[in-house]
Amino acid sequence: MKTYTLYLREELAHGWQDKAIFTWLQTMPGEIFRDKEGRRTLRFEVNQKSYFLKYHQGVGWAEIVKNLLSLRLPIISARNEWQAVQFLQSHDLDTMTLAGYGEKGWNPAKRHSFVITDDLTDTMSLEYLGQQWRDRPPSFTSKYQLIQKLAHIAGTMHKNGMNHRDFYLCHFLLDKSFAETNIYQPTMPIYLIDLHRAQIRQKLPRRWQIKDLGSLYFSAYAVPLTQRDLFRFIKTYTQLPLREALTQKADLWQQVKQRADTLYAE
């Protein structure tokens, strides 16, 4: 059975109407960030507008088997990414904007697929919060509101059945003006990116919830957080009174801490 999916936003569809899209994207020139293991990631421009392309060329059966033997789910298509973008958007969470996606072929080892998103320009990664906040502590309000926002993103995502699998601060982007002002307001978007490993189910299994939260907590170890900061995250994430969140889900938070400590020790 042959599978074929193709979507291009109007400006790309018009500019590439004379091209065999999969063949064109497979070798299209641009600023390359990755080109190995069947995946090609690059930035390119069309009419002075910047985009990101992730092209999957099929990883082969050897790579699929190697991942399965290592108890890892192989990434065989860009479909994960575009469906995760659509999922986040449907739940009013900020993420990348789709400009195109496609997939062809029934054989998982040879399947070709791609996703194109608008380039998120003038943004910074939250990975730099540790150094920034050690040098310049934020106001209580900015810190509180940023923690609330991250907890809302994580809670909404998990409650509705999606896990990220690379849920670190480096995969959250916000306007780079934050690096200068150190002021965060609730109206400022925080974009969740790098969704190629995301999974979506009716209900999120506990182990994937722990892995996501443990990864996020580990990546925040360098950020000067207090116990009250952690409690604020927990309260917003669970949407429960703090006492209930800590007592009813005590084992969850203990396992999250263990996961974070394990990552730190590696």
Side-chain angles (χ1 to χ4, degrees):
M1 181 178 66
K2 184 177 180 180
T3 61
Y4 189 88
T5 300
L6 180 62
Y7 161 74
L8 293 174
R9 207 165 59 198
E10 184 177 0
E11 76 273 18
L12 296 183
H14 177 75
W16 295 343
Q17 57 185 332
D18 61 339
K19 298 185 183 298
I21 297 301
F22 285 88
T23 302
W24 162 242
L25 294 180
Q26 195 171 356
T27 57
M28 184 177 66
E31 181 184 359
I32 296 176
F33 291 85
R34 175 194 175 103
D35 193 0
K36 61 180 181 179
E37 297 170 350
R39 280 195 287 145
R40 188 168 183 258
T41 302
L42 60 89
R43 180 191 286 124
F44 68 94
E45 288 190 0
V46 173
N47 295 328
Q48 298 183 319
K49 180 175 173 58
S50 183
Y51 304 85
F52 258 92
L53 164 70
K54 291 186 180 179
Y55 194 96
H56 295 240
Q57 303 182 51
V59 296
W61 283 113
E63 184 67 18
I64 291 175
V65 171
K66 183 179 77 173
N67 275 267
L68 293 174
L69 291 176
S70 302
L71 302 180
R72 293 182 301 187
L73 294 174
I75 307 302
I76 59 175
S77 171
R79 179 179 290 270
N80 276 27
E81 189 136 17
W82 83 65
Q83 289 182 335
V85 169
Q86 292 168 337
F87 172 95
L88 293 174
Q89 291 174 337
S90 72
H91 291 93
D92 297 320
L93 299 177
D94 298 306
T95 185
M96 302 166 289
T97 300
L98 291 171
Y101 55 83
E103 183 179 55
K104 69 172 184 176
W106 62 269
N107 186 333
K110 297 181 178 181
R111 188 174 299 156
H112 283 232
S113 60
F114 70 89
V115 60
I116 299 172
T117 58
D118 293 342
D119 187 7
L120 284 168
T121 58
D122 298 322
T123 57
M124 62 169 281
S125 163
L126 289 185
E127 183 179 18
Y128 301 106
L129 279 182
Q131 182 62 48
Q132 180 168 332
W133 284 4
R134 281 195 299 271
D135 297 340
R136 289 191 300 145
S139 68
F140 169 83
T141 301
S142 285
K143 191 179 189 183
Y144 172 77
Q145 290 176 339
L146 187 55
I147 290 171
Q148 292 281 98
K149 184 79 166 188
L150 290 178
H152 170 71
I153 294 170
T156 302
M157 190 178 76
H158 288 167
K159 181 176 67 176
N160 291 284
M162 175 177 153
N163 62 291
H164 188 281
R165 293 177 69 196
D166 276 316
F167 205 51
Y168 302 100
L169 284 178
C170 62
H171 293 144
F172 291 90
L173 303 181
L174 77 167
D175 193 282
K176 69 179 183 182
S177 64
F178 180 78
E180 299 175 2
T181 66
N182 214 19
I183 296 173
Y184 180 77
Q185 299 175 348
T187 54
M188 296 171 64
I190 296 181
Y191 303 99
L192 181 58
I193 65 168
D194 222 6
L195 303 169
H196 66 281
R197 300 182 69 204
Q199 300 169 322
I200 302 171
R201 305 175 178 83
Q202 286 294 109
K203 183 177 180 181
L204 180 65
R206 176 70 167 264
R207 70 187 186 96
W208 289 112
Q209 179 187 20
I210 292 167
K211 286 187 175 183
D212 266 7
L213 291 173
S215 297
L216 183 62
Y217 187 24
F218 157 72
S219 68
Y221 271 9
V223 182
L225 298 174
T226 67
Q227 190 69 53
R228 287 182 180 273
D229 292 331
L230 300 178
F231 287 164
R232 292 183 185 107
F233 180 94
I234 289 172
K235 184 178 178 181
T236 301
Y237 175 85
T238 61
Q239 291 295 291
L240 293 171
L242 182 59
R243 187 180 297 274
E244 289 183 37
L246 293 176
T247 55
Q248 293 181 12
K249 301 183 180 295
D251 57 336
L252 169 66
W253 304 118
Q254 181 181 9
Q255 291 175 70
V256 167
K257 181 65 163 61
Q258 290 173 347
R259 165 71 175 169
D261 288 343
T262 298
L263 290 171
Y264 184 75
E266 290 179 353

